[in-house]
Amino acid sequence: MVIPSAVLVQTVGAPLSAMAALAAAPVTVVPESTQQAVGYPSLFLLVLIGALVPVVPTGALVSSAAVVAVHRAAPFSLALVFVTASLAAFLGDLALY
């Protein structure tokens, strides 16, 4: 698809003031402790549900949580992901049994 140059100039030129306003706005970053307080319990619940309902893709969920944990500064975050997922899968299997 070819975009006419007049449309391109109009589209690219207009948001510059909005982009400058966004660049000047203060950025708030959620602390890591808040991310952990939400992330690990949600991982636990989703893997537990995945053990009970086999349609939920828990392998992809644990893999993506492990990738996020590798890029954290905390030294034991990857081990905590595996312990959380293993415990949830064990309790889900136990409940299903």
Side-chain angles (χ1 to χ4, degrees), residues 1 4-5 8 11 15-16 20 22 27 31 33 36 39 43 45 50-51 62 65 72 75-79 85 96:
M1 178 174 157
S5 60
L8 186 62
T11 318
L16 287 179
L22 284 175
V27 177
S33 61
Q36 290 176 352
L43 174 68
L45 288 175
V62 174
R72 296 264 171 135
F76 297 112
S77 59
L78 183 62
L96 201 62

Side-chain angles (χ1 to χ4, degrees), residues 29-70:
V29 177
V30 179
E32 233 179 90
S33 61
T34 305
Q35 292 173 355
Q36 290 176 352
V38 172
Y40 291 118
S42 62
L43 174 68
F44 181 83
L45 288 175
L46 289 172
V47 171
L48 183 71
I49 291 169
L52 298 173
V53 181
V55 183
V56 178
T58 57
L61 180 70
V62 174
S63 298
S64 60
V67 167
V68 171
V70 165

